[in-house]
Amino acid sequence: MGNCVGKLDAGARPTASTEVVGKDAQKPVAQPAGSAGATAAAPREGMLAGTEGRLIDIDSGKKYAKVVQKEAGSNLVVAEFTASWCGPCHKVAPAYRALARTHPATLFLAVDAEKCVDQVLKFKIEAFPTFILLREGKELMRVHGPNMTKLEKSVVTEQTSGDARV
């Protein structure tokens, strides 16, 4: 499984010029949003069904700011930058949901890069998926690509270090 590398065009929107990189490099499976065969991710909002985890879809810069300011507080936030045309993003979605379920004290966000261009530019996102761990709005670290093992270890480490500060 590789990364989708998206470039921003003059209109500051991710384009379909994707490249799958990594040891399993292959032809891109990603497609631009709205094209035939593109699949939309299932809506993810608030509390996950039957769990204590929090996973919120972010589809605007305004919603991103509101959620981070109002709901995050001093808790750890994991922001996944994703795109509808990104194959690896779709493949990690179930694992990301599971991670949210197992870490209910952390706020998980799925940031739609096509609709949240300001955040993509602010965080200098160059590949999808990119996961950024934040606390009080400050970036702690990031995980590039669909490396869920590294992401989970990072979440555990940052939760533990955050608990030590309280």
Side-chain angles (χ1 to χ4, degrees):
M1 199 174 344
N3 300 347
C4 290
V5 180
K7 298 183 180 178
L8 297 179
D9 63 15
R13 295 191 48 85
T15 68
S17 59
T18 61
E19 170 187 17
V20 178
V21 295
K23 69 177 183 148
D24 298 325
Q26 57 186 343
K27 295 252 184 218
V29 294
Q31 297 179 359
S35 69
T39 57
R44 299 178 289 189
E45 188 68 38
M47 301 297 277
L48 293 171
T51 70
E52 299 284 325
R54 295 184 295 167
L55 175 58
I56 301 174
D57 277 330
I58 303 295
D59 57 8
S60 72
K62 187 175 181 179
K63 185 173 183 180
Y64 176 88
K66 179 182 174 186
V67 168
V68 169
Q69 180 181 17
K70 186 177 179 183
E71 297 198 26
S74 62
N75 291 328
L76 181 63
V77 175
V78 180
E80 172 196 23
F81 286 83
T82 184
S84 63
W85 45 262
C86 174
C89 296
H90 290 286
K91 287 182 181 177
V92 301
Y96 191 61
R97 292 178 76 86
L99 192 60
R101 284 185 193 104
T102 58
H103 297 280
T106 298
L107 177 61
F108 289 81
L109 309 177
V111 182
D112 184 331
E114 296 164 294
K115 296 178 181 174
C116 299
V117 175
D118 289 344
Q119 282 68 34
V120 169
L121 295 172
K122 174 185 174 184
F123 288 107
K124 298 180 173 121
I125 304 300
E126 297 176 351
F128 303 100
T130 294
F131 302 92
I132 299 181
L133 283 72
L134 306 142
R135 188 180 306 277
E136 296 176 353
K138 295 181 181 127
E139 182 175 337
L140 304 172
M141 67 169 306
R142 61 177 63 199
V143 175
H144 298 281
N147 189 339
M148 298 309 290
T149 302
K150 182 176 180 182
L151 178 61
E152 182 163 23
K153 287 179 182 176
S154 300
V155 168
V156 169
T157 298
E158 291 302 332
Q159 278 181 333
T160 304
S161 67
D163 291 344
R165 285 182 238 161
V166 175

